[in-house]
Amino acid sequence: MDNSFITLGLMSGTSLDGIDASIIKSDGENNLDIIDNKYFNYPEEFRKRLSSFILNINNRADIEENISTYKSLERDLTLYHSKISKKIIGENKLNIQLIGFHGQTIIHKPKDGYSIQMGDANLLSQELKKKVINNFRANDIKNGGEGAPLTPVYHKLLINKFKINNPTIILNIGGISNYTYCFNDTLAAKDIGPGNVLIDGYLKKTKGINYDKNGDIALSGNINIDIVNQFYEHEFYNVQQKHSFDRNEFDFSFVKGLEFEDAVATLTYFTALIISQNIKKNFDNEIEIILCGGGRRNLALVNHIKKLLKYKIKLIDEFSIDGDFIESQAFAYLSIRSYLNKIISYPSTTNVLNPVTGGEIKINF
């Protein structure tokens, strides 16, 4: 008897560039078939409106004060998710049983008891005539956790699928960097600092560029080691003390006054240093690292990490998995686990007091 579900996972990350969509087939446990992945680029005008809104949100009260803008953005964002969903579902001609809808994180403040993801699950359910699972982080936070990272249970499935038997880290470099450590029955995870957020934020602010393609700008500049040394210890201490981050917690102003290329080079090295030192502090040289997320395409960033760590590092793509879609696949997988009331987070992954399930089912058709 096949207990598998065919599900669609949707993810819009901290880079605010667009939507990743993935269809998988899984039983929510050990079986996994990745059927398709697709990316949808947000229109520039919408991206700017969304980015501008998020930059001005420092707490939940700020959202309430700007609720009409929030609702307008939320409707547009949900309809963009509906558009890519209809496209990928239509192309594959499959009966999608569940949709894992992460939404767009607006503000993440677990210590204050909330993490807000923009996205109207009722509207998406109505648009697609499907069951939608959303609000994945709330139950974890309600039970004393940080609501992040949530991808470790999927990372563990991938490591088993790759038949890796050694201590392994999956290092995801998105807007924020996080790792999942997996070996035997041990599963541990945390955010470990900036990923692309400092670099992309600086590029958008100064030149209107969305990202440093291949790390070319960083490679053309000179690293200002004095500035790195001046700010590194303070930032590393802050990163060490925390388990998860909001994108607004990272500030690139310390490179102000540097030439453009040198600023990008310095931010890139600074990011690599924090990631590397955090991993070194927790793990020894016998560990294997698998990179995923958009940051793995930044050659300057990856080369710095390789030199600073000297560990065995591979791209997840070497295992015939597209490293751009791990999180959208994860939320497709988490939607199944949520629907079946299975555990999605553990004390060792989010600091939750006890293992919990999460997600809410919305049916509006």
Side-chain angles (χ1 to χ4, degrees):
M1 181 177 168
D2 188 358
N3 296 319
S4 293
F5 292 77
I6 298 175
T7 63
L8 169 63
L10 300 167
M11 181 68 194
S12 178
T14 48
S15 61
L16 309 179
D17 53 352
I19 304 161
D20 297 325
S22 297
I23 296 174
I24 70 164
K25 183 178 180 182
S26 176
D27 59 356
E29 291 289 344
N30 299 317
N31 296 335
L32 174 68
D33 289 314
I34 298 165
I35 296 169
D36 198 11
N37 301 299
K38 193 166 286 294
Y39 171 71
F40 173 84
N41 218 349
Y42 283 141
E44 191 62 29
E45 174 272 335
F46 175 75
R47 186 186 312 191
K48 284 178 179 172
R49 277 199 295 137
L50 183 61
S51 177
S52 174
F53 181 80
I54 292 172
L55 283 172
N56 290 301
I57 300 299
N58 297 303
N59 50 52
R60 190 152 45 186
D62 288 342
I63 294 178
E64 293 301 323
E65 287 172 18
N66 296 278
I67 196 66
S68 61
T69 304
Y70 179 90
K71 291 292 184 186
S72 172
L73 281 166
E74 183 174 58
R75 179 173 174 80
D76 289 347
L77 179 133
T78 304
L79 292 174
Y80 286 134
H81 278 75
S82 173
K83 184 177 179 180
I84 190 174
S85 298
K86 287 174 181 175
K87 188 170 177 61
I88 194 170
I89 292 169
E91 287 176 359
N92 285 278
K93 295 180 173 60
L94 291 168
N95 177 30
I96 302 295
Q97 293 155 283
L98 298 169
I99 293 177
F101 179 31
H102 175 267
Q104 179 65 59
T105 297
I106 302 300
I107 188 163
H108 180 70
K109 283 190 174 285
K111 293 285 189 267
D112 295 333
Y114 63 89
S115 180
I116 296 172
Q117 282 71 47
M118 176 185 282
D120 186 340
N122 279 312
L123 176 59
L124 191 65
S125 175
Q126 182 183 49
E127 280 276 308
L128 301 175
K129 308 288 187 288
K130 304 288 181 188
K131 294 173 186 171
V132 174
I133 316 287
N134 78 322
N135 210 11
F136 288 92
R137 303 184 191 275
N139 194 46
D140 184 272
I141 292 171
K142 183 180 168 186
N143 285 278
E146 301 243 343
L150 287 183
T151 49
V153 287
Y154 183 66
H155 289 164
K156 183 179 181 182
L157 172 63
L158 289 178
I159 288 168
N160 290 337
K161 185 179 170 72
F162 301 157
K163 295 184 168 53
I164 297 172
N165 300 311
N166 304 317
T168 303
I169 284 175
I170 289 188
L171 173 59
N172 174 54
I173 308 176
I176 291 164
S177 293
N178 56 66
Y179 72 72
T180 297
Y181 169 78
C182 192
F183 183 53
N184 295 333
D185 292 329
T186 303
L187 183 68
K190 75 186 291 270
D191 286 354
I192 53 170
N196 304 312
V197 66
L198 289 171
I199 305 160
D200 292 356
Y202 178 79
L203 290 169
K204 285 170 188 170
K205 177 89 172 176
T206 57
K207 299 285 186 183
I209 301 169
N210 289 319
Y211 65 99
D212 183 7
K213 188 175 182 181
N214 300 324
D216 289 345
I217 300 169
L219 290 167
S220 70
N222 296 307
I223 299 161
N224 189 310
I225 290 295
D226 290 340
I227 285 180
V228 170
N229 290 339
Q230 189 179 341
F231 288 92
Y232 162 72
E233 275 196 32
H234 171 74
E235 190 70 24
F236 184 63
Y237 174 79
N238 287 345
V239 165
Q240 279 288 103
Q241 300 310 304
K242 299 195 69 171
H243 190 86
S244 66
F245 292 93
D246 184 75
R247 58 175 282 131
N248 287 348
E249 292 179 67
F250 297 103
D251 181 8
F252 54 75
S253 62
F254 64 89
V255 296
K256 191 176 179 181
L258 293 183
E259 292 293 328
F260 172 67
E261 291 80 4
D262 296 348
V264 177
T266 302
L267 287 170
T268 303
Y269 181 76
F270 184 81
T271 297
L273 188 61
I274 290 175
I275 292 170
S276 304
Q277 292 300 105
N278 212 319
I279 289 173
K280 267 191 205 173
K281 199 163 180 71
N282 289 286
F283 303 103
D284 62 30
N285 287 15
E286 298 305 309
I287 204 141
E288 185 171 326
I289 297 176
I290 300 172
L291 290 180
C292 64
R296 80 193 190 291
R297 296 184 182 277
N298 185 323
L299 301 182
L301 181 62
V302 171
N303 285 340
H304 288 321
I305 292 170
K306 284 180 175 177
K307 284 176 187 170
L308 288 162
L309 282 178
K310 298 183 173 63
Y311 295 177
K312 187 178 178 185
I313 297 178
K314 291 181 176 178
L315 299 184
I316 202 163
D317 309 70
E318 293 174 44
F319 297 91
S320 301
I321 299 269
D322 190 326
D324 286 335
F325 294 96
I326 303 303
E327 290 201 317
S328 49
Q329 292 163 14
F331 281 96
Y333 182 69
L334 289 173
S335 73
I336 302 168
R337 293 188 67 85
S338 297
Y339 188 71
L340 297 175
N341 214 30
K342 292 177 183 287
I343 291 163
I344 68 167
S345 56
Y346 297 84
S348 61
T349 61
T350 64
N351 282 349
V352 69
L353 296 174
N354 296 294
V356 294
T357 187
E360 298 170 5
I361 302 170
K362 304 287 167 54
I363 304 171
N364 189 27
F365 57 92

PDB file of all heavy atoms in Angstrom, residues 8-33:
ATOM      1  N   LEU A   8       3.215  20.079  -3.095  1.00  0.00           N
ATOM      2  CA  LEU A   8       3.911  21.235  -3.667  1.00  0.00           C
ATOM      3  C   LEU A   8       4.398  22.108  -2.521  1.00  0.00           C
ATOM      4  O   LEU A   8       3.627  22.479  -1.634  1.00  0.00           O
ATOM      5  CB  LEU A   8       2.950  22.029  -4.561  1.00  0.00           C
ATOM      6  CG  LEU A   8       3.408  23.409  -5.054  1.00  0.00           C
ATOM      7  CD1 LEU A   8       4.646  23.306  -5.934  1.00  0.00           C
ATOM      8  CD2 LEU A   8       2.272  24.116  -5.796  1.00  0.00           C
ATOM      9  N   GLY A   9       5.696  22.422  -2.529  1.00  0.00           N
ATOM     10  CA  GLY A   9       6.270  23.317  -1.524  1.00  0.00           C
ATOM     11  C   GLY A   9       6.616  24.656  -2.145  1.00  0.00           C
ATOM     12  O   GLY A   9       7.155  24.707  -3.253  1.00  0.00           O
ATOM     13  N   LEU A  10       6.290  25.727  -1.428  1.00  0.00           N
ATOM     14  CA  LEU A  10       6.528  27.090  -1.920  1.00  0.00           C
ATOM     15  C   LEU A  10       7.359  27.856  -0.896  1.00  0.00           C
ATOM     16  O   LEU A  10       7.022  27.905   0.283  1.00  0.00           O
ATOM     17  CB  LEU A  10       5.195  27.810  -2.130  1.00  0.00           C
ATOM     18  CG  LEU A  10       4.217  27.173  -3.124  1.00  0.00           C
ATOM     19  CD1 LEU A  10       2.836  27.797  -2.984  1.00  0.00           C
ATOM     20  CD2 LEU A  10       4.746  27.324  -4.556  1.00  0.00           C
ATOM     21  N   MET A  11       8.440  28.476  -1.372  1.00  0.00           N
ATOM     22  CA  MET A  11       9.329  29.193  -0.459  1.00  0.00           C
ATOM     23  C   MET A  11       9.748  30.531  -1.056  1.00  0.00           C
ATOM     24  O   MET A  11      10.189  30.597  -2.208  1.00  0.00           O
ATOM     25  CB  MET A  11      10.587  28.351  -0.194  1.00  0.00           C
ATOM     26  CG  MET A  11      11.569  29.004   0.766  1.00  0.00           C
ATOM     27  SD  MET A  11      10.884  29.084   2.432  1.00  0.00           S
ATOM     28  CE  MET A  11      12.009  30.233   3.214  1.00  0.00           C
ATOM     29  N   SER A  12       9.588  31.592  -0.280  1.00  0.00           N
ATOM     30  CA  SER A  12      10.101  32.911  -0.647  1.00  0.00           C
ATOM     31  C   SER A  12      11.036  33.327   0.475  1.00  0.00           C
ATOM     32  O   SER A  12      10.598  33.568   1.598  1.00  0.00           O
ATOM     33  CB  SER A  12       8.942  33.903  -0.795  1.00  0.00           C
ATOM     34  OG  SER A  12       9.416  35.188  -1.098  1.00  0.00           O
ATOM     35  N   GLY A  13      12.319  33.362   0.186  1.00  0.00           N
ATOM     36  CA  GLY A  13      13.329  33.529   1.237  1.00  0.00           C
ATOM     37  C   GLY A  13      13.683  34.967   1.544  1.00  0.00           C
ATOM     38  O   GLY A  13      13.100  35.915   1.006  1.00  0.00           O
ATOM     39  N   THR A  14      14.697  35.124   2.411  1.00  0.00           N
ATOM     40  CA  THR A  14      15.087  36.455   2.880  1.00  0.00           C
ATOM     41  C   THR A  14      15.736  37.307   1.795  1.00  0.00           C
ATOM     42  O   THR A  14      15.871  38.509   1.961  1.00  0.00           O
ATOM     43  CB  THR A  14      16.064  36.343   4.073  1.00  0.00           C
ATOM     44  OG1 THR A  14      17.098  35.412   3.741  1.00  0.00           O
ATOM     45  CG2 THR A  14      15.354  35.872   5.316  1.00  0.00           C
ATOM     46  N   SER A  15      16.113  36.698   0.669  1.00  0.00           N
ATOM     47  CA  SER A  15      16.695  37.488  -0.424  1.00  0.00           C
ATOM     48  C   SER A  15      15.624  38.298  -1.155  1.00  0.00           C
ATOM     49  O   SER A  15      15.943  39.236  -1.877  1.00  0.00           O
ATOM     50  CB  SER A  15      17.411  36.573  -1.416  1.00  0.00           C
ATOM     51  OG  SER A  15      16.495  35.655  -1.975  1.00  0.00           O
ATOM     52  N   LEU A  16      14.354  37.932  -0.990  1.00  0.00           N
ATOM     53  CA  LEU A  16      13.207  38.643  -1.585  1.00  0.00           C
ATOM     54  C   LEU A  16      13.237  38.663  -3.105  1.00  0.00           C
ATOM     55  O   LEU A  16      12.649  39.551  -3.728  1.00  0.00           O
ATOM     56  CB  LEU A  16      13.126  40.101  -1.075  1.00  0.00           C
ATOM     57  CG  LEU A  16      13.180  40.345   0.426  1.00  0.00           C
ATOM     58  CD1 LEU A  16      13.105  41.837   0.733  1.00  0.00           C
ATOM     59  CD2 LEU A  16      12.073  39.602   1.138  1.00  0.00           C
ATOM     60  N   ASP A  17      13.919  37.706  -3.718  1.00  0.00           N
ATOM     61  CA  ASP A  17      14.058  37.752  -5.177  1.00  0.00           C
ATOM     62  C   ASP A  17      12.896  37.094  -5.903  1.00  0.00           C
ATOM     63  O   ASP A  17      12.595  37.442  -7.039  1.00  0.00           O
ATOM     64  CB  ASP A  17      15.386  37.115  -5.622  1.00  0.00           C
ATOM     65  CG  ASP A  17      15.571  35.705  -5.071  1.00  0.00           C
ATOM     66  OD1 ASP A  17      14.766  35.272  -4.236  1.00  0.00           O
ATOM     67  OD2 ASP A  17      16.541  35.039  -5.478  1.00  0.00           O
ATOM     68  N   GLY A  18      12.219  36.146  -5.265  1.00  0.00           N
ATOM     69  CA  GLY A  18      11.126  35.464  -5.938  1.00  0.00           C
ATOM     70  C   GLY A  18      10.690  34.235  -5.175  1.00  0.00           C
ATOM     71  O   GLY A  18      10.924  34.119  -3.967  1.00  0.00           O
ATOM     72  N   ILE A  19      10.058  33.308  -5.899  1.00  0.00           N
ATOM     73  CA  ILE A  19       9.456  32.129  -5.269  1.00  0.00           C
ATOM     74  C   ILE A  19      10.070  30.852  -5.846  1.00  0.00           C
ATOM     75  O   ILE A  19      10.163  30.695  -7.066  1.00  0.00           O
ATOM     76  CB  ILE A  19       7.935  32.086  -5.527  1.00  0.00           C
ATOM     77  CG1 ILE A  19       7.267  33.380  -5.036  1.00  0.00           C
ATOM     78  CG2 ILE A  19       7.298  30.865  -4.870  1.00  0.00           C
ATOM     79  CD1 ILE A  19       5.905  33.615  -5.658  1.00  0.00           C
ATOM     80  N   ASP A  20      10.478  29.956  -4.959  1.00  0.00           N
ATOM     81  CA  ASP A  20      10.892  28.608  -5.358  1.00  0.00           C
ATOM     82  C   ASP A  20       9.709  27.675  -5.158  1.00  0.00           C
ATOM     83  O   ASP A  20       9.053  27.713  -4.104  1.00  0.00           O
ATOM     84  CB  ASP A  20      12.070  28.121  -4.512  1.00  0.00           C
ATOM     85  CG  ASP A  20      13.311  28.980  -4.689  1.00  0.00           C
ATOM     86  OD1 ASP A  20      13.527  29.466  -5.810  1.00  0.00           O
ATOM     87  OD2 ASP A  20      14.043  29.177  -3.696  1.00  0.00           O
ATOM     88  N   ALA A  21       9.441  26.829  -6.164  1.00  0.00           N
ATOM     89  CA  ALA A  21       8.340  25.871  -6.084  1.00  0.00           C
ATOM     90  C   ALA A  21       8.864  24.479  -6.403  1.00  0.00           C
ATOM     91  O   ALA A  21       9.614  24.299  -7.370  1.00  0.00           O
ATOM     92  CB  ALA A  21       7.238  26.255  -7.074  1.00  0.00           C
ATOM     93  N   SER A  22       8.476  23.501  -5.591  1.00  0.00           N
ATOM     94  CA  SER A  22       8.938  22.119  -5.796  1.00  0.00           C
ATOM     95  C   SER A  22       7.799  21.136  -5.564  1.00  0.00           C
ATOM     96  O   SER A  22       7.053  21.264  -4.593  1.00  0.00           O
ATOM     97  CB  SER A  22      10.078  21.781  -4.828  1.00  0.00           C
ATOM     98  OG  SER A  22      11.207  22.599  -5.051  1.00  0.00           O
ATOM     99  N   ILE A  23       7.709  20.165  -6.462  1.00  0.00           N
ATOM    100  CA  ILE A  23       6.765  19.061  -6.279  1.00  0.00           C
ATOM    101  C   ILE A  23       7.558  17.822  -5.878  1.00  0.00           C
ATOM    102  O   ILE A  23       8.550  17.467  -6.528  1.00  0.00           O
ATOM    103  CB  ILE A  23       5.973  18.771  -7.567  1.00  0.00           C
ATOM    104  CG1 ILE A  23       5.099  19.970  -7.935  1.00  0.00           C
ATOM    105  CG2 ILE A  23       5.101  17.524  -7.406  1.00  0.00           C
ATOM    106  CD1 ILE A  23       4.372  19.825  -9.279  1.00  0.00           C
ATOM    107  N   ILE A  24       7.119  17.187  -4.799  1.00  0.00           N
ATOM    108  CA  ILE A  24       7.756  15.937  -4.365  1.00  0.00           C
ATOM    109  C   ILE A  24       6.684  14.880  -4.113  1.00  0.00           C
ATOM    110  O   ILE A  24       5.495  15.194  -3.968  1.00  0.00           O
ATOM    111  CB  ILE A  24       8.598  16.124  -3.085  1.00  0.00           C
ATOM    112  CG1 ILE A  24       7.698  16.386  -1.853  1.00  0.00           C
ATOM    113  CG2 ILE A  24       9.637  17.230  -3.250  1.00  0.00           C
ATOM    114  CD1 ILE A  24       8.383  16.202  -0.511  1.00  0.00           C
ATOM    115  N   LYS A  25       7.124  13.643  -4.037  1.00  0.00           N
ATOM    116  CA  LYS A  25       6.270  12.539  -3.589  1.00  0.00           C
ATOM    117  C   LYS A  25       6.963  11.903  -2.396  1.00  0.00           C
ATOM    118  O   LYS A  25       8.136  11.513  -2.483  1.00  0.00           O
ATOM    119  CB  LYS A  25       6.071  11.516  -4.711  1.00  0.00           C
ATOM    120  CG  LYS A  25       5.138  10.370  -4.322  1.00  0.00           C
ATOM    121  CD  LYS A  25       4.938   9.393  -5.483  1.00  0.00           C
ATOM    122  CE  LYS A  25       3.996   8.253  -5.087  1.00  0.00           C
ATOM    123  NZ  LYS A  25       3.811   7.268  -6.184  1.00  0.00           N
ATOM    124  N   SER A  26       6.251  11.814  -1.283  1.00  0.00           N
ATOM    125  CA  SER A  26       6.864  11.267  -0.072  1.00  0.00           C
ATOM    126  C   SER A  26       5.786  10.763   0.883  1.00  0.00           C
ATOM    127  O   SER A  26       4.628  11.186   0.825  1.00  0.00           O
ATOM    128  CB  SER A  26       7.707  12.340   0.626  1.00  0.00           C
ATOM    129  OG  SER A  26       8.235  11.864   1.851  1.00  0.00           O
ATOM    130  N   ASP A  27       6.209   9.884   1.785  1.00  0.00           N
ATOM    131  CA  ASP A  27       5.312   9.407   2.837  1.00  0.00           C
ATOM    132  C   ASP A  27       5.493  10.212   4.119  1.00  0.00           C
ATOM    133  O   ASP A  27       4.900   9.899   5.153  1.00  0.00           O
ATOM    134  CB  ASP A  27       5.544   7.916   3.111  1.00  0.00           C
ATOM    135  CG  ASP A  27       6.978   7.611   3.537  1.00  0.00           C
ATOM    136  OD1 ASP A  27       7.824   8.544   3.547  1.00  0.00           O
ATOM    137  OD2 ASP A  27       7.264   6.438   3.869  1.00  0.00           O
ATOM    138  N   GLY A  28       6.347  11.251   4.059  1.00  0.00           N
ATOM    139  CA  GLY A  28       6.623  12.036   5.262  1.00  0.00           C
ATOM    140  C   GLY A  28       7.656  11.398   6.156  1.00  0.00           C
ATOM    141  O   GLY A  28       7.985  11.918   7.220  1.00  0.00           O
ATOM    142  N   GLU A  29       8.187  10.265   5.716  1.00  0.00           N
ATOM    143  CA  GLU A  29       9.237   9.575   6.472  1.00  0.00           C
ATOM    144  C   GLU A  29      10.470   9.411   5.594  1.00  0.00           C
ATOM    145  O   GLU A  29      11.142  10.389   5.315  1.00  0.00           O
ATOM    146  CB  GLU A  29       8.724   8.220   6.992  1.00  0.00           C
ATOM    147  CG  GLU A  29       7.660   8.343   8.072  1.00  0.00           C
ATOM    148  CD  GLU A  29       8.210   8.848   9.402  1.00  0.00           C
ATOM    149  OE1 GLU A  29       9.447   8.827   9.588  1.00  0.00           O
ATOM    150  OE2 GLU A  29       7.402   9.244  10.258  1.00  0.00           O
ATOM    151  N   ASN A  30      10.728   8.185   5.123  1.00  0.00           N
ATOM    152  CA  ASN A  30      11.994   7.910   4.448  1.00  0.00           C
ATOM    153  C   ASN A  30      11.919   7.882   2.921  1.00  0.00           C
ATOM    154  O   ASN A  30      12.944   7.834   2.256  1.00  0.00           O
ATOM    155  CB  ASN A  30      12.563   6.576   4.946  1.00  0.00           C
ATOM    156  CG  ASN A  30      12.830   6.604   6.445  1.00  0.00           C
ATOM    157  OD1 ASN A  30      13.355   7.584   6.952  1.00  0.00           O
ATOM    158  ND2 ASN A  30      12.441   5.554   7.150  1.00  0.00           N
ATOM    159  N   ASN A  31      10.719   7.861   2.372  1.00  0.00           N
ATOM    160  CA  ASN A  31      10.588   7.810   0.918  1.00  0.00           C
ATOM    161  C   ASN A  31      10.555   9.220   0.334  1.00  0.00           C
ATOM    162  O   ASN A  31       9.885  10.099   0.870  1.00  0.00           O
ATOM    163  CB  ASN A  31       9.298   7.076   0.517  1.00  0.00           C
ATOM    164  CG  ASN A  31       9.331   5.621   0.968  1.00  0.00           C
ATOM    165  OD1 ASN A  31      10.401   5.040   1.139  1.00  0.00           O
ATOM    166  ND2 ASN A  31       8.155   5.037   1.176  1.00  0.00           N
ATOM    167  N   LEU A  32      11.276   9.399  -0.784  1.00  0.00           N
ATOM    168  CA  LEU A  32      11.312  10.715  -1.415  1.00  0.00           C
ATOM    169  C   LEU A  32      11.589  10.596  -2.904  1.00  0.00           C
ATOM    170  O   LEU A  32      12.570   9.988  -3.313  1.00  0.00           O
ATOM    171  CB  LEU A  32      12.411  11.585  -0.776  1.00  0.00           C
ATOM    172  CG  LEU A  32      12.656  12.943  -1.448  1.00  0.00           C
ATOM    173  CD1 LEU A  32      11.457  13.879  -1.260  1.00  0.00           C
ATOM    174  CD2 LEU A  32      13.937  13.596  -0.903  1.00  0.00           C
ATOM    175  N   ASP A  33      10.712  11.197  -3.684  1.00  0.00           N
ATOM    176  CA  ASP A  33      10.952  11.402  -5.109  1.00  0.00           C
ATOM    177  C   ASP A  33      10.771  12.891  -5.389  1.00  0.00           C
ATOM    178  O   ASP A  33       9.709  13.448  -5.078  1.00  0.00           O
ATOM    179  CB  ASP A  33       9.959  10.612  -5.973  1.00  0.00           C
ATOM    180  CG  ASP A  33      10.217   9.116  -5.919  1.00  0.00           C
ATOM    181  OD1 ASP A  33      11.389   8.733  -6.042  1.00  0.00           O
ATOM    182  OD2 ASP A  33       9.250   8.363  -5.731  1.00  0.00           O
TER     183      ASP A  33
END
